[in-house]
Amino acid sequence: MTLVIAEQRGGVLNPATWETLAAAQQMNAPVTAAVVGARVQDTAAELAAADVAEVLAVEHEALEPYTPDGFVAALAQVVEATGPERVLFPHTYQTRDHAPALAARLGRVLIPDCIGSKDRDGQRVFVRPMFQGKFVADVLPEGPAPHFASFQIGAYRADACVRGAAAATVREVAVQLDAAAIRQRPEAPFKEAKQAVDLTQAERIVAVGRGIKGQEHLPLAQELAKVLDAELAASRPICDSGWLPMDRQIGSSGQTVAPKLYLAVGISGAIQHLVGMKGARTIVAVNKDADAPIFEVADYGIVGDLFEVVPAIVAALDGD
Amino acid sequence: MERETLDVDVLVVGGGPAGLAAAYRLARLNAEQGGEPLMVAVLEKARAAGAHMLSGAVLDPSALTDLMPDWKSRGAPLDVPVRDDRIYFLTARRALPFPVTPPPLRNHGHYVVSLNRLAKWLAEQVEAAGVDVFTGFAGTELLYEGDRVVGVRTGDRGLDRHGERKGTFEPGVDIRARVTVLADGVRGNLTKTLIRRFGLDAGRSPQSYAIGIKELWDVDPDRLPAGSVIHTMGHPLRHEEFGGGFIYALPEGRLSVGFVAGLDYRDPLFDPHVAFQRFKRHPLVSNLLAGGQMVRYGAKALPEGGWHALPRCHADGALIAGDAAGFLNSMRLKGIHLAMRSGMHAADAAFRAVREGDVSGARLSEYARLVEEGPIRRELYPVRNVHQSFAGGLLAGLLYSGMSLVTGGWWFRDPMPSHAGHERTRTVKRYFGGGVPPEPPGVPIDRALTFDRLTNVHYSGTRHDEDQPSHLLVADTDICRTRCIEEYANPCTRFCPANVYEIVDADAGAGKRLQINASNCVHCKTCDIMDPYQIIDWVPPEGGGGPSYEGM
Ligand SMILES: Cc1cc2nc3c(=O)[nH]c(=O)nc-3n(C[C@H](O)[C@H](O)[C@H](O)COP(=O)(O)OP(=O)(O)OC[C@H]3O[C@@H](n4cnc5c(N)ncnc54)[C@H](O)[C@@H]3O)c2cc1C
Ligand SMILES: Cc1cc2nc3c(=O)[nH]c(=O)nc-3n(C[C@H](O)[C@H](O)[C@H](O)COP(=O)(O)OP(=O)(O)OC[C@H]3O[C@@H](n4cnc5c(N)ncnc54)[C@H](O)[C@@H]3O)c2cc1C
Ligand code: SF4
């Protein structure tokens, strides 16, 4: 028997589950699906539409929210109670989180991230990419069954999962869990509050280079950006030193921007920087070296010491 | 940490001419000798086959013909036979042609090629023959069982600049092999560790090197007919410096223009990049390039020590082939055919050793025998002292080169004594006799004929993920700002062609510090070779990073 572990979150079935069921159906063995959580009756019923022998609903209060300890303990019991030949997962983040621990707990092998499987002389061989997909390996699991494998998302088509003539039976499976033995205390899921700096959308950009000399002088550039209502950006040495985050780097290994105004302060204008900003409509450069290549692309150039020029610009603009 | 492992019979590290020839030969032996075929794999750090290839190149096709007699019908990119062969001695303004081209420098029957294209094509042949070529994977360490090499570990991916794991982290893979053929090129990082561990260079002359800098130009096709080959000596090098320029004409007005400078110069302020720019400003060259477009740039070191500097090239479970060992004829500026030949010999030795189930160094020493008895020694032995003789200056070198043709390479002292190149660099004080050192020689940069380093590097197509640990390990950066700055005026800022090393103001006015722009690196290996304190260690960056030498 092939046991497929479905993935659900808050009652919503992860569609990759259907793909893994499709993989399982092609293995010439009866398929059982199991879904784990605190309230899984609805998802279990949904799964019963597939052509499977039965669906196991594994319910326990301690399984919500998801914790790797909880899932490993519950799944270990399900596997031991049902004795499958193999256990398959969709290769999701959750699977990556608990399947290795489950396999280790049971002392079985896990073959992650498979893209196929085949029968070789009656033995089930798993196919998985290696070397970033340059190479495909046939992996023959060793050791006693069940063998664990996870399937890469997209390796099978969800609609390749054969539907049953009638709904499969859903069986509830009780598991013993000790809530105190669960070591993780998950917090509410959060979305990273990414500070939205999308330099490609900025109308005006003040970019600062190594001419600024030290991190302690950055406020000078920040002030200039503020009075111009511009975003602050930089050349590579500034970001490389960690004075500004890397997503503010302009150039061939950073962002390519085309604002209305690009004001380059203390930037020499190396080609790797130019390719990231030469599409700007108006380019203004402040540099004390009249031969700096930045002046070749600048519409307006100020040859001078930025520590004099910038405060003067700020003062002039602040005046209005 | 659990790592993936892969077992093969023969692992070849490096997809250059040496490695690819070895792999192809193994595939042929598999096919010809029947039996259970050997599993063969090639590891190459470049993202695509050939992308780290930089050469001249005039190809002597002898080894290719032995490797693959039907190369023509398989579409090998050998389109342009050498038609015309000239050597000039350059003074600052003039070019004096050598009346006759000495026989070893004649290129009749040779081809002007792009090694990048040749390697790409060869990699296709190798793959079609059933060998896996893993591009984008660098070998970072040798795996041992006792003192036997049993394979290679590839580099981890997805580490950030502090060495912490990023979301994309993937540990390197252990590729276990019965025989590992190291064809990791000049100053190969794995070969270097193998030579050190077993003292494979004991009793040999120290290896010496040169750096080659090259640009591809598109010019008016009528300037120089395809197949023309020009070599120069003299300007801008001085009597005490070894090297010269080359111009090879490819079809459709594409010129390969390069300059080779010995990495054994005495003047600590010598700057190979500037020397190359000055070479281009010589009328012989500037007239050819005028109005043209520079389209590609790159730099790479080459081994020049010759026969006496070859290390022992076999150890338990391992062989060394190509530039990694130093199979290069510096008098002809040719290494491709010797790299291929040595790869073929290595394949023969590895194949038989694996078949017989004995991969000991003693069994693999068959490789040394093949080298001794075959065309490699026939070519390298007679010119064994040529490079060393140039240590006495250009004139002595030329005299000797001429003499050696008569005496078969014999000299009053054989082998001629030689020093590791970096030991010849003098301190500023010593070189300039304690006087005030001059400003390092500069050259006007017009970004039409001459270029600054950074603009040049742009044309090398170099790319690395910037958020990864530096792959240039400097053991002690204090030396840079205390001793080196005084003694040698930080030669790394000059010999590195890619502006990787900069001496910048330290924060808060605390003097100077070394800034390493690792992602500029074009993998030329010069710093590993030439740093006077031998504290720079080049290790591979994340696989796939590096230059992209399209057409070079
Ligand atoms: C593969 C690769 C990728 C790269 N990617 C990028 C990239 O994405 N973005 C990028 O920016 N760079 C990139 N670089 C680096 C690039 O080549 C340059 O090194 C970098 O852009 C230089 O930055 P900078 O102009 O700030 O510093 P510098 O070149 O040191 O220039 C500083 C300038 O400030 C001027 N200055 C000094 N003091 C004053 C003063 N008091 N007042 C006024 N002016 C002063 C100087 O005259 C000088 O022109 C890359 C390089 C490589 C090889
Ligand atoms: C400027 C210049 C001009 C030249 N002109 C000529 C000429 O005209 N004719 C001629 O015959 N020869 C010429 N040569 C010499 C010739 O190019 C070399 O001898 C030849 O390329 C050596 O081949 P190889 O396979 O040993 O090494 P390489 O060609 O250097 O190949 C080594 C390969 O190994 C890869 N590699 C290195 N380390 C690792 C690692 N750790 N993991 C994975 N991969 C790795 C590299 O990326 C590279 O692809 C010239 C050389 C230079 C620099
Ligand atoms: S850092 Fe070293 S290997 Fe890289 S380009 Fe500079 S000299 Fe060459």
Side-chain angles (χ1 to χ4, degrees):
Chain A
M1 179 265 278
T2 304
L3 180 62
V4 173
I5 310 299
E7 178 168 315
Q8 63 84 27
R9 193 173 279 203
V12 181
L13 195 64
N14 186 325
T17 304
W18 299 111
E19 301 174 14
T20 307
L21 281 167
Q25 286 170 339
Q26 293 169 25
M27 293 187 187
N28 316 322
V31 178
T32 296
V35 55
V36 183
R39 275 159 294 278
V40 296
Q41 286 302 334
D42 290 352
T43 9
E46 199 181 330
L47 281 169
D51 184 15
V52 292
E54 61 176 341
V55 177
L56 308 180
V58 185
E59 279 195 338
H60 196 286
E61 274 308 315
L63 291 171
E64 194 73 55
Y66 165 83
T67 54
D69 276 357
F71 268 53
V72 167
L75 285 171
Q77 292 171 38
V78 174
V79 169
E80 269 163 2
T82 53
E85 286 164 67
R86 63 189 75 86
V87 183
L88 309 183
F89 304 81
H91 193 68
T92 60
Y93 285 112
Q94 218 172 71
T95 295
R96 276 179 240 187
D97 194 40
H98 67 260
L102 175 64
R105 163 85 61 94
L106 298 173
R108 298 297 194 273
V109 296
L110 166 69
I111 306 162
D113 210 21
C114 299
I115 54 171
S117 85
K118 49 192 171 195
D119 182 82
R120 189 194 284 162
D121 308 329
Q123 284 181 305
R124 183 53 48 186
V125 173
F126 294 88
V127 182
R128 64 185 301 267
M130 288 176 76
F131 290 95
Q132 309 235 311
K134 289 204 164 61
F135 183 77
V136 179
D138 288 353
V139 183
L140 181 65
E142 286 180 347
H147 301 132
F148 290 72
S150 67
F151 280 84
Q152 196 174 88
I153 294 171
Y156 287 80
R157 293 170 55 113
D159 58 17
C161 174
V162 182
R163 308 276 144 162
T169 47
V170 173
R171 178 157 67 93
E172 279 180 39
V173 178
V175 286
Q176 309 297 319
L177 291 182
D178 175 7
I182 297 178
R183 292 163 297 176
Q184 300 89 5
R185 293 279 164 270
E187 314 235 317
F190 76 104
K191 284 217 165 55
E192 201 176 342
K194 196 164 164 10
Q195 204 189 10
V197 27
D198 187 358
L199 292 173
T200 60
Q201 299 302 314
E203 293 217 334
R204 285 180 289 276
I205 291 177
V206 168
V208 53
R210 194 143 63 179
I212 197 80
K213 302 233 153 45
Q215 190 169 19
E216 67 276 16
H217 302 305
L218 264 190
L220 195 60
Q222 273 153 351
E223 225 177 311
L224 179 60
K226 209 172 112 214
V227 297
L228 280 167
D229 192 17
E231 286 287 352
L232 190 61
S235 64
R236 189 179 69 177
I238 303 301
C239 301
D240 196 51
S241 316
W243 298 353
L244 282 176
M246 281 170 98
D247 57 3
R248 293 197 181 252
Q249 179 175 323
I250 305 294
S252 59
S253 39
Q255 307 281 325
T256 302
V257 296
K260 286 188 181 145
L261 173 69
Y262 191 90
L263 206 162
V265 180
I267 291 181
S268 61
I271 188 161
Q272 293 86 357
H273 188 79
L274 298 187
V275 295
M277 46 66 78
K278 62 178 186 232
R281 195 177 307 163
T282 304
I283 298 171
V284 182
V286 180
N287 195 306
K288 68 174 182 191
D289 173 9
D291 291 329
I294 189 77
F295 290 125
E296 289 168 24
V297 298
D299 300 289
Y300 301 95
I302 305 173
V303 179
D305 184 340
L306 71 90
F307 294 101
E308 292 165 15
V309 176
V310 171
I313 302 178
V314 170
L317 290 171
D318 238 3
D320 357 304
Chain B
M1 187 185 346
E2 282 274 335
R3 289 174 188 276
E4 303 240 23
T5 56
L6 177 70
D7 288 289
V8 299
D9 293 303
V10 183
L11 173 65
V12 179
V13 185
L20 293 171
Y24 189 77
R25 178 75 158 202
L26 284 162
R28 292 303 312 154
L29 290 169
N30 267 340
E32 282 159 16
Q33 315 238 323
E36 180 75 9
L38 266 52
M39 264 276 273
V40 182
V42 179
L43 268 193
E44 167 55 52
K45 66 181 158 61
R47 184 173 306 281
H52 290 184
M53 287 296 113
L54 180 141
S55 193
V58 174
L59 175 72
D60 169 345
S62 55
L64 177 61
T65 302
D66 288 347
L67 177 72
M68 191 191 293
D70 54 347
W71 56 260
K72 210 164 247 166
S73 61
R74 287 165 173 269
L78 272 58
D79 312 321
V80 196
V82 173
R83 64 187 291 277
D84 177 32
D85 207 342
R86 280 174 282 166
I87 305 184
Y88 292 95
F89 182 83
L90 303 187
T91 68
R93 305 286 323 150
R94 300 184 49 208
L96 313 170
F98 276 42
V100 288
T101 301
L105 299 184
R106 277 183 211 150
N107 282 305
H108 186 74
H110 298 165
Y111 294 83
V112 179
V113 301
S114 149
L115 186 58
N116 161 263
R117 289 183 54 210
L118 182 64
K120 221 188 288 186
W121 167 83
L122 198 51
E124 283 163 17
Q125 308 305 310
V126 164
E127 286 193 303
V131 173
D132 291 300
V133 180
F134 299 125
T135 51
F137 289 89
T140 50
E141 53 186 292
L142 291 171
L143 303 171
Y144 289 95
E145 252 164 36
D147 273 341
R148 185 162 64 93
V149 175
V150 293
V152 164
R153 175 166 294 172
T154 68
D156 294 342
R157 292 171 176 280
L159 291 175
D160 73 9
R161 57 180 61 209
H162 309 292
E164 303 287 334
R165 295 175 183 189
K166 296 189 276 192
T168 51
F169 177 77
E170 233 178 78
V173 181
D174 283 351
I175 307 183
R176 300 178 57 88
R178 295 212 265 168
V179 178
T180 304
V181 177
L182 297 177
D184 46 354
V186 59
R187 196 75 163 196
N189 61 300
L190 295 178
T191 296
K192 181 169 137 178
T193 61
L194 187 75
I195 290 178
R196 295 232 165 120
R197 175 161 170 151
F198 297 114
L200 299 179
D201 55 354
R204 315 292 300 158
S205 300
Q207 185 57 277
S208 51
Y209 301 88
I211 175 175
I213 307 180
K214 156 172 161 173
E215 289 171 351
L216 280 182
W217 280 73
D218 280 342
V219 303
D220 181 348
D222 299 333
R223 285 276 163 77
L224 197 63
S228 304
V229 167
I230 298 175
H231 288 107
T232 73
M233 295 175 148
H235 179 85
L237 297 183
R238 291 165 294 181
H239 165 78
E240 63 181 52
E241 288 145 0
F242 179 80
F246 63 83
I247 303 170
Y248 303 150
L250 290 148
E252 290 163 24
R254 178 153 286 195
L255 299 185
S256 174
V257 182
F259 196 82
V260 173
L263 288 174
D264 51 4
Y265 48 81
R266 296 198 179 104
D267 178 356
L269 301 187
F270 179 75
D271 183 330
H273 176 82
V274 169
F276 178 48
Q277 307 307 315
R278 295 178 66 202
F279 167 67
K280 285 188 293 175
R281 282 166 55 84
H282 189 279
L284 176 79
V285 190
S286 62
N287 288 336
L288 285 171
L289 301 183
Q293 269 269 314
M294 187 267 284
V295 294
R296 213 84 197 144
Y297 161 91
K300 189 158 178 270
L302 46 152
E304 296 217 303
W307 183 260
H308 286 311
L310 293 171
R312 174 152 70 83
C313 293
H314 53 273
D316 288 346
L319 294 168
I320 310 173
D323 272 8
F327 292 114
L328 184 136
N329 182 343
S330 67
M331 188 153 157
R332 298 169 75 201
L333 184 59
K334 282 195 185 60
I336 301 172
H337 65 297
L338 295 172
M340 295 180 81
R341 180 74 67 188
S342 64
M344 291 158 70
H345 290 332
D348 289 348
F351 188 84
R352 284 194 276 270
V354 171
R355 274 288 160 86
E356 284 167 21
D358 175 6
V359 296
S360 65
R363 180 68 191 78
L364 288 171
S365 70
E366 183 188 359
Y367 176 46
R369 188 176 60 73
L370 293 169
V371 168
E372 282 278 346
E373 293 173 0
I376 298 186
R377 182 185 157 112
R378 272 206 298 284
E379 176 170 344
L380 288 183
Y381 192 72
V383 294
R384 62 195 176 280
N385 285 321
V386 166
H387 185 77
Q388 287 81 334
S389 71
F390 277 89
L394 178 62
L395 215 62
L398 283 177
L399 265 175
Y400 173 78
S401 312
M403 287 275 296
S404 69
L405 301 176
V406 182
T407 65
W410 179 86
W411 198 245
F412 301 102
R413 288 170 73 188
D414 189 8
M416 244 186 222
S418 92
H419 292 280
H422 65 89
E423 290 172 2
R424 294 190 10 125
T425 312
R426 300 202 167 151
T427 59
V428 174
K429 203 157 128 208
R430 176 144 175 251
Y431 188 80
F432 295 100
V436 186
E439 274 289 295
V443 67
I445 300 297
D446 59 14
R447 287 188 206 91
L449 177 65
T450 54
F451 301 91
D452 55 280
R453 283 180 164 75
L454 287 171
T455 305
N456 265 148
V457 175
H458 185 64
Y459 286 89
S460 68
T462 297
R463 258 183 186 284
H464 293 90
D465 188 334
E466 303 224 339
D467 195 14
Q468 64 172 302
S470 169
H471 69 281
L472 297 146
L473 311 179
V474 181
D476 180 358
T477 48
D478 266 352
I479 290 188
C480 310
R481 54 176 195 85
T482 54
R483 277 181 68 193
C484 189
I485 209 166
E486 290 292 327
E487 293 180 348
Y488 297 98
N490 300 113
C492 58
T493 60
R494 289 178 294 278
F495 60 59
C496 169
N499 207 50
V500 167
Y501 302 100
E502 288 181 286
I503 300 293
V504 299
D505 290 332
D507 292 345
K512 303 278 184 188
R513 68 174 177 87
L514 178 72
Q515 157 81 25
I516 303 178
N517 304 309
S519 62
N520 294 17
C521 176
V522 297
H523 299 196
C524 75
K525 310 286 178 76
T526 304
C527 53
D528 194 296
I529 295 165
M530 200 52 185
D531 127 51
Y533 304 93
Q534 294 291 292
I535 51 173
I536 302 181
D537 196 17
W538 186 100
V539 300
E542 194 171 296
S548 172
Y549 287 149
E550 199 62 41
M552 287 287 254

